[in-house]
Amino acid sequence: MNDQIARIRALQRPGEVHRDAYVAPDVFDMEMKHLFRNAWVYVGHASQIPGKGDYYATQVADQPVLMVRHTDNSVRVLYNRCPHKGTQVVIDTQGNTGKFFRCPYHAWSFKTDGSLLAVPLKKGYQDTEFKSSCAAKGMTPVPHVREYREFIFARINDQGPSFEDFFGDSLSSLDNMIDRSPAGRLEVVGSPLRYAHNCNWKMLVENQTDTCHPMVAHESSAGTVKDIWERQEEGTKKPMVVELALPFMSSYEFFEGMGIRIWDNGHGHTGVHHSIHSDYSDIPGYNDQMQAAYGKDRAAEILNENRHNTVYFPNLMIKGPIQTLRLFKPIAADKTLVESWIFRLVDAPDKLLERTAMYNRIINAPTSIVGHDDLEMYERAQSGLASDGMEWVNIQRLYEEGEGDEPEQIYNGTTEAQMRNQFRAWEKFMLMSMEKEGTS
Amino acid sequence: MTPTAQDLIDFVYAEARLIDERRFPEWLALFADDGMYWMPLEWNQQDQWLTTSLMHEDKLMLQVRVERLEGERTFSQKPKSRCQHLLQLPQVDEIDHENGVYRTYTPFHYAETRFDEQLILAGWARHQLCVVDGALKIRMKRVDLVNCDAPFRNIQLFV
Ligand code: FES
Ligand SMILES: [Fe+2]
């Protein structure tokens, strides 16, 4: 364990991260065993399982889990593993199991809180110690589950902070996304885009607050939109897609002025003062609905908050003003699956959902040109890190003394402070359970 | 022009060939001004607008793609991707001269390659064609992938 602690500590020096944090399989294994078990990881949204017995299967860390709506209407998160011989109890991503799960192998059944309901030919266990076996307990629940305004998070380890301490004021970004519904509720719409990247999950997460890349890496896509748009006849109505794509070509000054806020535990967001989402056209009727729901002042307060990307450490990003959520699922040191989800603002005009769906497919799809630009950079970086010519990655941009000293700090929008913030949290959550284990 | 079944079939083959030969501006010209290219994300997806698709693009967005593919700073096309369509004989689903609606159904296999990586896709293309100024044009090309819900890596050209 002390070896592991030393290994992790050696991967950072001020403003620099060792490439092994991105490429080494042993570090990835430690991330799965420690970091992803000590942190609160996003599982899913309650609207995916509206009815009793509805379930959705996913992963937390490297663990197959499912979330299910129990008979008392609460959301439970269970390891997707039969206590008998290990068979995954559900194999499809979502469905309804009725009042109980039934393992397809030998028909053991479990209530939707995981507890064992029945075993066929029960008398075969009569003269055994079955009752005191771990199998008799049924499907194991993930111990720490928290539903926050229908967003469901889980923490696997007992170490690690409470939900409130972990997220602190960063929940204001989730709040803003939800409050944009006149009903104060979101609903997941459709399936997520699934995009396979041959790079480390942290490259994707870092890129969410990398404000020095859009005008460079996306010159090919957003820049072409800009070229073509500028060739249109004057007076042409600006199509929605142009409105969404053009801000990617904003100047350095624009991104500097956006600002970046960092919070404790690796959370942070771009777009403190304004963002690339600030200047979308009004959707007829929406403002009135918001004012009716919240009153004029509160409605304006909600709609004037145009945060760009909010990173929830370790592997979640949301865009409040456009109602998208991206989950960066780690598969291996050099493999990440990105899921991009969209939400409907309950009671808001459909036009908003149309914009959200368009944003998702033009930016986040494996068929999207913006996605092509980004993937190319991540994978070139992953390959480049194999070079022994230099072992360190630089994240020094706009470093200031005292970063991370306060629970919340605001900086120039082109700082790499949020990446440094993530790496401070990375070390903290990696070591947390190692130190506990290592005290002997 | 009153297209025959053979005209429709020839059109579908010629369209795929233009893509395979990377003659993208000529390919783009096959679309009617209000033409759309749609690749749903879900099996049997009905909704074009209010849910996510892999692609759902009008001629403007397609033009962006076409120009981008040849762009000086399009790093994901250095080196360029290549692709190949293998089409089954298109089936003519509808010929309606009165309303100018022509529909075909074409099962396909598609390969796209860049560097050492080759992606193979299979699915069905549904063309809805119309006649504009005496020539067949695409009003809607719908491409359903048999594994539409799978995690993909980059798909950069046109299926
Ligand atoms: S493995 Fe599940 S009942 Fe036997
Ligand atoms: Fe990007």
Side-chain angles (χ1 to χ4, degrees):
Chain A
M1 195 53 63
N2 286 334
D3 289 355
Q4 288 194 340
I5 293 171
R7 170 94 167 113
I8 294 307
R9 290 216 167 112
L11 294 179
Q12 291 192 63
R13 53 192 202 194
E16 292 180 312
V17 180
H18 193 271
R19 54 119 179 243
D20 280 4
Y22 302 91
V23 304
D26 68 312
V27 175
F28 181 84
D29 291 346
M30 286 187 256
E31 289 179 332
M32 293 305 104
K33 185 148 181 287
H34 296 283
L35 162 61
F36 274 81
R37 281 164 163 75
N38 295 330
W40 286 90
V41 175
Y42 179 68
V43 183
H45 190 264
S47 66
Q48 293 169 259
I49 49 169
K52 289 176 188 175
D54 288 346
Y55 63 82
Y56 167 71
T58 178
Q59 299 80 31
V60 169
D62 53 356
Q63 298 295 297
V65 302
L66 57 86
M67 62 175 196
V68 58
R69 193 168 294 277
H70 186 45
T71 35
D72 66 0
N73 256 322
S74 64
V75 173
R76 306 298 173 103
V77 180
L78 309 173
Y79 288 93
N80 186 8
R81 183 236 195 248
C82 178
H84 182 208
K85 298 194 78 179
T87 308
Q88 291 206 332
V89 176
V90 302
I91 199 70
D92 47 354
T93 308
Q94 54 194 349
N96 181 286
T97 193
K99 285 204 167 61
F100 58 89
F101 290 110
R102 180 178 182 273
C103 178
Y105 201 173
H106 313 95
W108 289 25
S109 58
F110 316 94
K111 293 184 192 157
T112 44
D113 62 1
S115 58
L116 188 63
L117 182 64
V119 173
L121 281 175
K122 189 93 188 246
K123 59 178 182 303
Y125 293 97
Q126 234 162 35
D127 299 325
T128 71
E129 302 289 306
F130 180 72
K131 274 214 172 80
S132 57
S133 73
C134 54
K137 294 199 177 75
M139 294 169 71
T140 311
V142 173
H144 309 280
V145 176
R146 179 64 191 271
E147 183 173 343
Y148 180 81
R149 301 188 70 181
E150 301 196 289
F151 285 78
I152 293 144
F153 293 84
R155 198 188 74 216
I156 288 178
N157 275 357
D158 291 335
Q159 291 100 333
S162 71
F163 182 86
E164 284 73 17
D165 286 348
F166 182 71
F167 285 112
D169 287 340
S170 72
L171 291 172
S172 54
S173 286
L174 259 186
D175 286 336
N176 181 258
M177 180 157 81
I178 301 165
D179 291 342
R180 284 170 172 266
S181 149
R185 277 186 38 235
L186 302 179
E187 273 172 15
V188 163
V189 175
S191 308
L193 289 161
R194 302 169 74 212
Y195 199 171
H197 287 66
N198 290 340
C199 71
N200 188 267
W201 64 276
K202 295 188 291 301
M203 290 188 182
L204 282 140
V205 178
E206 283 170 39
N207 187 65
Q208 305 310 306
T209 60
D210 183 325
T211 47
C212 287
H213 90 283
M215 65 299 279
V216 182
H218 299 304
E219 185 182 341
S220 88
S221 47
T224 304
V225 173
K226 191 167 179 234
D227 282 353
I228 291 176
W229 176 242
E230 284 167 359
R231 298 202 302 263
Q232 303 292 313
E233 279 167 43
E234 219 167 305
T236 310
K237 190 174 172 295
K238 197 189 258 188
M240 188 184 274
V241 65
V242 174
E243 190 173 272
L244 296 179
L246 277 189
F248 280 70
M249 288 307 286
S250 302
S251 63
Y252 285 118
E253 293 70 34
F254 178 91
F255 284 101
E256 286 184 313
M258 264 183 22
I260 285 185
R261 178 184 276 122
I262 64 171
W263 291 288
D264 265 354
N265 294 326
H267 317 303
H269 79 93
T270 42
V272 180
H273 313 294
H274 59 260
S275 79
I276 62 166
H277 305 307
S278 297
D279 295 323
Y280 296 156
S281 357
D282 283 339
I283 303 287
Y286 177 51
N287 229 327
D288 296 343
Q289 288 178 321
M290 287 295 285
Q291 291 186 2
Y294 294 101
K296 209 168 172 208
D297 294 347
R298 177 68 188 131
E301 194 178 30
I302 294 166
L303 297 177
N304 289 336
E305 188 73 62
N306 280 300
R307 297 181 185 183
H308 171 224
N309 292 343
T310 298
V311 169
Y312 288 113
F313 185 79
N315 65 331
L316 178 67
M317 187 280 277
I318 63 158
K319 278 181 181 295
I322 200 84
Q323 299 94 50
T324 58
L325 177 153
R326 305 188 80 200
L327 189 59
F328 307 98
K329 288 182 163 176
I331 311 278
D334 61 354
K335 286 206 166 27
T336 307
L337 175 65
V338 186
E339 290 181 353
S340 299
W341 296 80
I342 61 170
F343 296 95
R344 175 204 307 278
L345 297 170
V346 174
D347 286 353
D350 277 350
K351 201 76 184 168
L352 278 144
L353 179 56
E354 185 181 326
R355 182 156 73 192
T356 297
M358 176 181 279
Y359 192 92
N360 205 31
R361 69 174 180 265
I362 67 167
I363 308 296
N364 298 331
T367 34
S368 93
I369 54 182
V370 173
H372 300 157
D373 293 337
D374 279 327
L375 178 138
E376 181 72 14
M377 295 309 129
Y378 305 139
E379 296 193 351
R380 286 192 193 199
Q382 190 74 28
S383 311
L385 289 180
S387 157
D388 291 337
M390 193 176 291
E391 295 186 0
W392 295 88
V393 171
N394 188 294
I395 50 168
Q396 265 172 326
R397 211 187 135 65
L398 288 176
Y399 172 76
E400 283 179 35
E401 207 64 51
E403 263 179 27
D405 288 354
E406 306 288 330
E408 174 176 331
Q409 291 164 311
I410 294 176
Y411 295 106
N412 175 306
T414 57
T415 182
E416 286 168 345
Q418 170 56 14
M419 301 176 200
R420 296 187 286 271
N421 189 35
Q422 283 159 206
F423 271 106
R424 274 193 302 278
W426 185 81
E427 185 173 306
K428 171 177 166 182
F429 284 87
M430 284 289 257
L431 299 183
M432 197 170 272
S433 41
M434 291 181 189
E435 281 164 352
K436 282 268 163 58
E437 288 173 34
T439 43
S440 60
Chain B
M1 181 206 189
T2 319
T4 63
Q6 190 59 48
D7 289 336
L8 304 181
I9 291 166
D10 291 347
F11 181 94
V12 172
Y13 281 137
E15 190 238 350
R17 180 170 175 170
L18 286 177
I19 300 172
D20 290 354
E21 294 179 353
R22 286 191 68 113
R23 292 155 64 187
F24 298 123
E26 289 168 74
W27 173 75
L28 184 63
L30 297 181
F31 281 78
D33 285 345
D34 60 354
M36 297 289 294
Y37 181 108
W38 184 23
M39 186 190 282
L41 173 63
E42 293 179 25
W43 187 243
N44 282 330
Q45 185 173 324
Q46 303 301 320
D47 199 314
Q48 299 179 45
W49 299 98
L50 298 182
T51 191
T52 308
S53 297
L54 286 162
M55 280 175 70
H56 184 247
E57 306 206 340
D58 60 11
K59 211 170 171 181
L60 180 72
M61 270 314 285
L62 293 174
Q63 186 189 347
V64 171
R65 282 184 188 266
V66 165
E67 292 193 18
R68 176 186 175 276
L69 283 170
E70 309 298 343
E72 212 18 65
R73 292 195 171 150
T74 304
F75 305 110
S76 77
Q77 284 296 294
K78 291 170 187 281
K80 291 192 188 311
S81 303
R82 297 190 288 261
C83 72
Q84 191 254 7
H85 289 75
L86 181 65
L87 305 185
Q88 206 176 81
L89 175 67
Q91 298 169 38
V92 176
D93 281 354
E94 184 174 0
I95 293 193
D96 179 348
H97 295 307
E98 202 168 320
N99 295 301
V101 176
Y102 306 95
R103 293 187 303 112
T104 61
Y105 167 91
T106 314
F108 66 83
H109 280 193
Y110 170 86
E112 187 176 302
T113 176
R114 182 170 173 255
F115 287 117
D116 296 344
E117 219 175 301
Q118 179 165 289
L119 165 81
I120 306 284
L121 298 171
W124 306 266
R126 288 179 178 83
H127 288 75
Q128 187 184 322
L129 306 176
C130 56
V131 176
V132 178
D133 296 335
L136 280 168
K137 298 280 174 184
I138 299 170
R139 177 143 283 152
M140 166 67 85
K141 178 177 178 181
R142 172 178 173 146
V143 176
D144 285 281
L145 301 178
V146 65
N147 62 341
C148 54
D149 45 8
F152 293 111
R153 295 178 45 68
N154 280 357
I155 303 170
Q156 296 204 59
L157 302 180
F158 302 97
V159 180

